[in-house]
Amino acid sequence: GEQVRLTCAARSHPAPIVTLARGRRVVAAAVYEPQVTLEVAAAAPEDAGEYLCRAENQHGESSLAFN
């Protein structure tokens, strides 16, 4: 029931597209911004699981999974 804030950030030139996904579903995205934040007002057990932070631009991509 507590508030949870997840932030996914990356630096690149040119600026990246940053996404935060849970499973195959993108839950937050920022286009040409250095970070994206997802806020869950009241976290519940069904919010648990693996999330994927991904940053990409025309030169490549990088990602990091976390629980």
Side-chain angles (χ1 to χ4, degrees):
E2 297 289 320
Q3 179 182 22
V4 175
R5 179 179 292 165
L6 304 174
T7 300
C8 176
R11 286 184 169 191
S12 68
H13 185 76
I17 296 172
V18 181
T19 57
L20 187 57
R22 183 164 179 245
R24 294 183 181 202
R25 186 174 145 239
V26 173
V27 294
V31 179
Y32 308 128
E33 296 291 332
Q35 73 179 37
V36 64
T37 301
L38 171 67
E39 291 187 23
V40 179
E46 55 268 16
D47 295 315
E50 186 172 277
Y51 288 79
L52 181 70
C53 173
R54 181 178 173 167
E56 63 183 298
N57 67 14
Q58 65 240 38
H59 299 293
E61 64 94 15
S62 181
S63 62
L64 176 70
F66 62 94
N67 288 304

